[in-house]
Amino acid sequence: MDLGFIITNAIVLSCIYGTLAIGISITWSSVGLINLAYGFIFAFAGYGAWYAAQFLSENGAVVLAAGILSGAFAGIVVCALAFIPIHDKPNFNVRGLIATLAISLIGTQGLMWWFGPRSKNLPDIFGSWSVMLGDMALTADKIGNVVTSIAFVAAVVLWMRSSRRGLEIRAMMMNPHAASIVGIGVRSTGFYVMAITGGMAGLAAVLLSQTYYISPFGGLTPMIKGVSIALCGGLGSVQGAVIAAVILGFNEAITSVTLGGQYVLITQFILIIAILLVRPRGIAGILDRAREA
Amino acid sequence: MANFWRNPLFGWGVDRAEDSQPTLPHRPPQEPWDETRQSKVEMFPVGRPRLYYKWPGHGGWTWNRKRYWPTRRRLLNIRGEYNPKTMRREKTIVDKRPLWWVMALSFMVIAPWLMPEDYQTTLLTAGATFAIYAAINLVWMLVIGTAGIYSLATYAVVGAAGFGTAWLSINLGVPWYVLPFIGSAIGLVFGLIIAIPATRLDGFYYALLTLGLNELCRVYALQSKIFGSSTGGLYGADTYISEHWDDATQSLVAYFACLTLMVLALVLFRFVNGKRIGRVLRMAPEKREAFAEATGVNFRQARIMVFVVSSIALGFIGGFYTAHYRGVSFSIFSFDTVLLGVAMLVIGGIGRAEGAVAGAAIVIFLDKALLSLGPIRLIIIGAIMLGVVLFLRGGLFGIKPQFRAWRDKKKSERRSTRAEKGGEMLPEEATETRDKDLIYWRRYDKMQRDYLKKLVSPEVIEEHRKSPLGQHSEALERLLLYFRRAPLSDKYAIIAVEPFKAYRIVALSGQRGVAPRIVEDRIYASQEEAYHGIFMRRVQDLLES
């Protein structure tokens, strides 16, 4: 195996999974919901993009936008079902987790029922050119994936830093009770957060479909990767998620070169467990109880 | 309505005294008091319905209680009491769950002979599946409910033990009766490994990590050749179901073996959850660990202990699973299996044995009986799960306490709307007031005003107009006494603009040095007219208050 090929692959994958991890992280820290329906949102967005490619246009931007929008829509649906009815009820954390699991079960089976188990593939949204870097060919989808995901995440982070809504979301992340006392609507912020993180999942779905196919259960592995990265980086921290994505991406590259592809998950979990044993709240997590709500 | 008041001073030649005045009939001043104190709650002839059947007492048997070995517990938790009306001895079965368990288990035992012949094999297979899943759920319930560790790697432990024993049985020819015990050993090792992060992580961090571990097992088994990546699982292990028996016997034996496994899991649940370790852990629920630790409870050790015991049990079930199905498939590691397991626990209610079993029964029934519906049956299960999570606090078996709490809440809400606000002070005001006498004075004053308002009538006003001073009828006298007793700030006075010709009404300020203010421009020709003017103002004030 070519080392350069593996490293570029690792960078591309860690960009995509990092996007997912940041989405999971933001959801947890601002609305207190562990969104295990993220895999469903991912698959739903993939199918949304596929519909757009079938019936609207095969233009890359259209497909990408359709994926992001359908992801945001699925995020809003999950918010309306799993966050709005129970966010002020006792034991919300556990019940929210189980509710998202139920939505995931319903949603993926619904997709399976509607589209059938056959996987779909999307058109190349970045074209088919390539750049030679030394003796290494960087294809369009790799460069496109990295650039698009970094640009989207950067845009979201900038928006969260500079806008009024972003300020509300950050206030919710810091102290949800105080935020609601000073007049920040918990429900409306929940919708914003879930729409944005759903859009992130949609973006990741379209980008990942350049490499893999879209299938009803295809969102599970990316979700677990995203959850692992978010967990490792510290739930609620964007920087932590970035660091963890880089670490786990390189772990993946090194393991596949030295040990072989099937040991990637094993080394990854050994690494995550080791990190969590040292820092139980993740790399950038705060050590005391992070979010009690 | 010709009721007359006779003036007792008439015969004495008092100035302007009239023989009799028309007046309203007498109203006792007790009336508003009785009305205020009266209960306005609607009274039904019967009290609370008796929700529990009361068994008659058994005389001498009262003190002769049966207890079962090796505990000192009684077969049923029976409360003895005396009927407050008849003073007869009565007994109430406080906890009827043992009766339900006995009924359900005996139904499961005789079920094979009640089934229609055509479906017997299908139903027995479904029953065996149900019993295995119920056993897994019971052990899982120990981890989640008793120990409070949100582990989603339960099926990973079962699957690891299953794959390990299947491999040993196929390659080394290990007989079936050893498989559960080898499985237990594998489960112990596996449980110890995944217990390491549980010492540091808590709650969701651990749930997410174990979800990842489950996926790790799936991917690893899927990719490795020795676990049969090409055949979708490992098959061909030794089994306890002999090939020589006919089909009916085979499924019957399998059914009863699985039922025995479930009963063993129930016994384990009872002996972990209902004994000292369960008590210890019930004292240290999530977010209240610090309190438990302060009282000297070593909850961490207890949690790990329960976790390891459950892992051994799960390994045992894994070995049994292999011996039952002749092998294991990868689907045991799949996310959907975990989801269905969570659905079983959640639908039944987390933390209860009956919840684990009933949830397994519901989900397995929907999953196996509606097989023709395809993915829709899983959507139905998901919808039930979502509904239970959104609306119920403790699953199906939590409906009863939740309904009671809701009913009590509604009851007290209704009671508070019925309650009479007797005091004229708001509760906050009442607590702030230094002089608590004021509260009662205001309450009394309100009652008095309510009474006096009813005394005001055209007859009374006419009587006062005729003679503002002197002896009056009872109603008018009561009104005037009340007016005269009021504090100065509420009072009016008259000033003579020109004696015997012009009078005006002024309001007293109630403060020394502050002059009275003129309240109206009207000029009264005589003192009597001015008196009556004041009376009319006071009556108006009274009726407006």
Side-chain angles (χ1 to χ4, degrees), chain A residues 177-243:
Chain A
H177 293 292
S180 63
I181 286 168
V182 298
I184 294 169
V186 176
R187 294 167 188 232
S188 58
T189 315
F191 275 118
Y192 278 108
V193 167
M194 295 295 278
I196 288 166
T197 54
M200 284 179 161
L203 177 88
V206 177
L207 295 184
L208 204 64
S209 69
Q210 302 297 305
T211 320
Y212 299 109
Y213 296 105
I214 297 164
S215 67
F217 304 105
L220 178 65
T221 313
M223 180 187 82
I224 286 180
K225 294 244 183 188
V227 164
S228 323
I229 292 170
L231 200 61
C232 185
L235 284 173
S237 156
V238 176
Q239 296 95 321
V242 172
I243 297 170

Side-chain angles (χ1 to χ4, degrees), chain A residues 146-161:
Chain A
V146 171
V147 170
T148 320
S149 56
I150 289 178
F152 191 79
V153 170
V156 167
V157 169
L158 269 183
W159 178 80
M160 278 179 61
R161 289 227 173 131

Side-chain angles (χ1 to χ4, degrees), chain A residues 28 34 36 81 86 90 93-95 98-99 101-106 109-110 112-113 217 220-221 223-224 227 231 235 262 265-266 269 272-273 276-278 280-281 289 292, chain B residues 150 196-197 200-202 204-205 208-209 211-213 215-216 218-220 223 287 289 335-336 339-340 342 346 350 375-376 378-379 381-383 385-386 389-393:
Chain A
W28 159 249
I34 297 262
L36 287 185
L81 282 176
I86 49 172
N93 286 353
V94 177
R95 288 166 78 182
I98 294 166
L101 278 176
I103 292 171
S104 160
L105 180 65
I106 298 173
Q109 293 294 336
M112 169 104 157
W113 178 56
F217 304 105
L220 178 65
T221 313
M223 180 187 82
I224 286 180
V227 164
L231 200 61
L235 284 173
Q262 73 264 42
L265 270 176
I266 296 178
F269 273 98
I272 292 175
I273 290 175
L276 288 179
L277 281 179
V278 179
R281 298 276 164 193
R289 300 195 161 271
E292 299 218 14
Chain B
Y150 283 92
I196 294 170
R200 290 275 286 172
L201 300 178
D202 52 23
F204 302 104
Y205 288 77
L208 297 181
L209 187 73
L211 194 66
L213 286 174
E215 177 72 3
L216 163 69
R218 188 180 73 87
V219 172
Y220 183 75
Q223 283 174 346
K287 288 185 180 171
E289 288 99 342
F335 190 56
D336 271 2
L339 276 182
L340 285 185
V342 173
V346 168
I350 285 178
I376 294 184
L378 292 176
I379 296 178
I381 293 172
M385 185 177 163
L386 191 62
V389 163
L390 293 189
F391 298 112
L392 301 180
R393 247 173 262 156

Side-chain angles (χ1 to χ4, degrees), chain B residues 269-516:
Chain B
F269 188 90
R270 164 79 185 72
F271 273 82
V272 175
N273 188 52
K275 290 267 169 187
R276 186 174 181 277
I277 200 161
R279 293 262 161 194
V280 161
L281 286 168
R282 227 164 293 151
M283 202 181 155
E286 187 109 350
K287 288 185 180 171
R288 253 181 279 164
E289 288 99 342
F291 172 72
E293 206 164 18
T295 49
V297 167
N298 191 353
F299 69 92
R300 277 198 193 86
Q301 193 199 347
R303 275 187 190 174
I304 298 299
M305 174 97 171
V306 171
F307 195 83
V308 170
V309 167
S310 333
S311 296
I312 294 171
L314 287 172
F316 186 89
I317 296 173
F320 179 85
Y321 190 98
T322 306
H324 180 81
Y325 288 112
R326 299 186 171 91
V328 207
S329 86
F330 294 137
S331 67
I332 197 156
F333 290 130
S334 79
F335 190 56
D336 271 2
T337 313
V338 176
L339 276 182
L340 285 185
V342 173
M344 292 176 196
L345 296 192
V346 168
I347 289 174
I350 285 178
R352 314 155 184 266
E354 63 265 36
V357 176
I362 291 170
V363 172
I364 295 287
F365 172 77
L366 287 175
D367 196 25
K368 301 285 172 197
L370 307 175
L371 209 59
S372 54
L373 285 179
I376 294 184
R377 69 186 200 283
L378 292 176
I379 296 178
I380 294 173
I381 293 172
I384 294 175
M385 185 177 163
L386 191 62
V388 166
V389 163
L390 293 189
F391 298 112
L392 301 180
R393 247 173 262 156
L396 289 182
F397 286 92
I399 288 181
K400 197 169 156 188
Q402 193 178 347
F403 171 71
R404 289 197 169 167
W406 175 82
R407 189 180 58 187
D408 288 349
K409 196 185 88 186
K410 287 284 161 200
K411 251 191 206 166
S412 74
E413 275 174 17
R414 257 179 269 128
R415 193 181 299 130
S416 69
T417 58
R418 279 199 306 263
E420 191 73 14
K421 305 288 183 298
E424 286 290 88
M425 257 185 197
L426 295 172
E428 302 83 31
E429 208 185 341
T431 49
E432 295 291 316
T433 311
R434 296 281 301 271
D435 185 4
K436 302 297 175 203
D437 226 16
L438 212 56
I439 304 167
Y440 294 94
W441 179 78
R442 286 207 195 173
R443 185 178 291 181
Y444 173 74
D445 194 47
K446 179 181 181 272
M447 279 195 278
Q448 201 174 20
R449 272 183 280 123
D450 285 346
Y451 172 68
L452 291 174
K453 275 177 195 172
K454 288 174 190 155
L455 297 186
V456 176
S457 65
E459 288 88 351
V460 167
I461 292 170
E462 179 57 25
E463 188 191 341
H464 187 270
R465 197 188 58 74
K466 279 183 189 163
S467 59
L469 302 175
Q471 183 74 34
H472 294 297
S473 70
E474 190 225 356
L476 184 56
E477 205 69 19
R478 279 186 189 275
L479 276 170
L480 287 174
L481 279 174
Y482 178 75
F483 292 155
R484 284 171 194 150
R485 229 185 44 224
L488 263 191
S489 54
D490 292 348
K491 278 186 170 166
Y492 298 99
I494 52 177
I495 52 168
V497 181
E498 199 179 331
F500 306 106
K501 276 190 185 158
Y503 296 89
R504 301 186 86 159
I505 297 178
V506 292
L508 297 177
S509 67
Q511 275 170 287
R512 181 180 285 251
V514 178

Side-chain angles (χ1 to χ4, degrees), chain A:
Chain A
M1 281 252 235
D2 180 15
L3 185 68
F5 176 76
I6 285 167
I7 286 177
T8 48
N9 247 357
I11 291 173
V12 170
L13 287 180
S14 55
C15 278
I16 295 174
Y17 293 144
T19 313
L20 284 169
I22 289 169
I24 290 170
S25 238
I26 291 176
T27 315
W28 159 249
S29 57
S30 59
V31 298
L33 184 71
I34 297 262
N35 191 359
L36 287 185
Y38 222 56
F40 156 65
I41 296 176
F42 185 92
F44 184 87
Y47 277 104
W50 178 76
Y51 254 120
Q54 288 283 306
F55 299 111
L56 273 177
S57 142
E58 295 221 341
N59 182 357
V62 173
V63 173
L64 204 58
I68 292 174
L69 286 181
S70 47
F73 172 73
I76 287 173
V77 168
V78 170
C79 180
L81 282 176
F83 176 71
I84 298 296
I86 49 172
H87 74 95
D88 48 356
K89 298 272 159 55
N91 223 352
F92 161 65
N93 286 353
V94 177
R95 288 166 78 182
L97 177 86
I98 294 166
T100 54
L101 278 176
I103 292 171
S104 160
L105 180 65
I106 298 173
T108 48
Q109 293 294 336
L111 288 177
M112 169 104 157
W113 178 56
W114 190 252
F115 292 101
R118 273 194 62 193
S119 48
K120 312 268 192 274
N121 60 335
L122 287 182
D124 288 341
I125 56 176
F126 299 111
S128 54
W129 41 272
S130 68
V131 175
M132 294 301 287
L133 190 77
D135 54 350
M136 200 163 51
L138 294 178
T139 53
D141 60 305
K142 282 184 183 169
I143 295 174
N145 280 353
V146 171
V147 170
T148 320
S149 56
I150 289 178
F152 191 79
V153 170
V156 167
V157 169
L158 269 183
W159 178 80
M160 278 179 61
R161 289 227 173 131
S162 56
S163 75
R164 188 100 196 143
R165 296 277 167 223
L167 184 66
E168 286 183 6
I169 295 174
R170 278 184 297 134
M172 282 271 290
M173 288 166 89
M174 280 175 193
N175 192 338
H177 293 292
S180 63
I181 286 168
V182 298
I184 294 169
V186 176
R187 294 167 188 232
S188 58
T189 315
F191 275 118
Y192 278 108
V193 167
M194 295 295 278
I196 288 166
T197 54
M200 284 179 161
L203 177 88
V206 177
L207 295 184
L208 204 64
S209 69
Q210 302 297 305
T211 320
Y212 299 109
Y213 296 105
I214 297 164
S215 67
F217 304 105
L220 178 65
T221 313
M223 180 187 82
I224 286 180
K225 294 244 183 188
V227 164
S228 323
I229 292 170
L231 200 61
C232 185
L235 284 173
S237 156
V238 176
Q239 296 95 321
V242 172
I243 297 170
V246 171
I247 291 179
L248 293 182
F250 274 91
N251 168 60
E252 191 163 339
I254 292 165
T255 312
S256 9
V257 171
T258 52
L259 293 174
Q262 73 264 42
Y263 296 103
V264 166
L265 270 176
I266 296 178
T267 53
Q268 185 181 331
F269 273 98
I270 290 172
L271 192 63
I272 292 175
I273 290 175
I275 290 173
L276 288 179
L277 281 179
V278 179
R279 287 187 68 84
R281 298 276 164 193
I283 293 170
I286 311 156
L287 250 181
D288 62 350
R289 300 195 161 271
R291 190 188 195 284
E292 299 218 14

